Amino acid sequence: AQTVTQSQPEMSVQEAETVTLSCTYDTSESDYYLFWYKQPPSRQMILVIRQEAYKQQNATENRFSVNFQKAAKSFSLKISDSQLGDAAMYFCAYRSLPNSNFGNEKLTFGTGTRLTIIP
Amino acid sequence: DTGVSQDPRHKITKRGQNVTFRCDPISEHNRLYWYRQTLGQGPEFLTYFQNEAQLEKSRLLSDRFSAERPKGSFSTLEIQRTEQGDSAMYLCASVDSSETQYFGPGTRLLVL
């Protein structure tokens, strides 16, 4: 079974600075998807960024970018120019390709990193 | 609003009562997922549907839990004989053609 590990329960960053959240995962599959989701306090979970494992190029979405190291099974999220609205729980998630032999199309989440932005 | 919606947003019940939650996915999405999230944890998979077919159930889904998606549109999740350990946030998500899951706001259940 796949597992996702987020080793930083909490992180803080000064407003306008850059922060990197860590995520590692374990899988025997060669192709899969990876995601970062953001869950603000008492609000719904929203997608931040996604990465297809077959793509070597790291995904970017405005101030958010990933460092995807497939061999190391590492998928970190970098937030540049941090803003107060970035304060949230951030979850790293893994999912298999659809209709793979493993048959699991669910998302497997890490335990999350709580990000605090210091004004 | 064209996002995933869930109803109710909050539910308080007494132990032993039955509860039912509803999820309305994004209309063009034919796959729908249920997850459970306890405080300080990431969501855990419960079950998923493709159209009206329930294709996978987690071991977390005891026989007190049942989910349906009768017409391949909205879905319901029922918990019978609730226990205090059922207290959690129940999340619904629907999936688009790019395999991205979009989450609803969740139903927070408190069992007294």
Side-chain angles (χ1 to χ4, degrees):
Chain A
Q2 294 82 24
T3 59
V4 177
T5 302
Q6 293 180 250
S7 58
Q8 305 155 315
E10 297 184 354
M11 292 280 285
S12 60
V13 62
Q14 205 81 31
E15 194 176 1
E17 297 296 307
T18 295
V19 64
T20 299
L21 308 184
S22 301
C23 173
T24 58
Y25 58 94
D26 189 29
T27 184
S28 56
E29 297 178 316
S30 59
D31 217 352
Y32 42 85
Y33 301 101
L34 295 165
F35 302 85
W36 279 98
Y37 280 89
K38 168 185 177 181
Q39 189 175 41
S42 302
R43 294 179 59 189
Q44 69 194 82
M45 194 166 310
I46 58 174
L47 177 68
V48 175
I49 199 165
R50 60 174 275 159
Q51 175 84 40
E52 289 87 356
Y54 67 88
K55 291 185 178 178
Q56 294 188 347
Q57 186 173 6
N58 289 325
T60 62
E61 287 287 342
N62 301 314
R63 298 182 295 107
F64 299 87
S65 61
V66 299
N67 183 3
F68 173 48
Q69 301 289 329
K70 191 173 183 180
K73 296 180 182 175
S74 171
F75 183 60
S76 60
L77 174 70
K78 185 171 83 170
I79 306 174
S80 304
D81 185 25
S82 299
Q83 300 176 0
L84 293 178
D86 294 334
M89 281 290 286
Y90 285 82
F91 291 98
C92 178
Y94 172 105
R95 69 155 284 182
S96 302
L97 291 184
N99 300 316
S100 69
N101 291 334
F102 294 87
N104 290 334
E105 299 186 13
K106 65 181 187 241
L107 285 171
T108 298
F109 286 87
T111 51
T113 296
R114 183 176 303 281
L115 179 65
T116 301
I117 311 297
I118 303 167
Chain B
D1 187 348
T2 58
V4 179
S5 62
Q6 293 188 245
D7 183 71
R9 296 289 304 276
H10 303 273
K11 179 72 177 177
I12 300 174
T13 191
K14 292 182 179 179
R15 189 176 52 186
Q17 298 295 304
N18 300 342
V19 295
T20 300
F21 311 141
R22 176 180 169 126
C23 170
D24 287 88
I26 295 170
S27 59
E28 60 268 28
H29 294 178
N30 61 12
R31 276 177 289 155
L32 182 152
Y33 289 70
W34 285 99
Y35 293 85
R36 182 171 72 184
Q37 185 179 23
T38 53
L39 205 61
Q41 299 296 316
E44 295 174 291
F45 169 78
L46 291 178
T47 188
Y48 93 96
F49 292 84
Q50 180 152 339
N51 299 313
E52 66 276 9
Q54 189 174 16
L55 296 185
E56 187 177 349
K57 294 191 288 187
S58 161
R59 283 171 290 181
L60 290 175
L61 214 65
S62 76
D63 56 7
R64 296 184 297 104
F65 287 70
S66 61
E68 294 184 341
R69 195 181 182 198
K71 297 182 180 179
S73 57
F74 72 91
S75 176
T76 58
L77 177 68
E78 181 183 16
I79 309 174
Q80 296 183 327
R81 305 180 304 281
T82 52
E83 302 173 356
Q84 288 184 325
D86 296 331
S87 296
M89 175 78 87
Y90 290 85
L91 297 169
C92 175
S94 66
V95 185
D96 70 6
S97 57
S98 72
E99 302 300 325
T100 297
Q101 297 196 12
Y102 295 89
F103 284 83
T107 294
R108 185 172 296 281
L109 173 66
L110 178 61
V111 182
L112 301 176

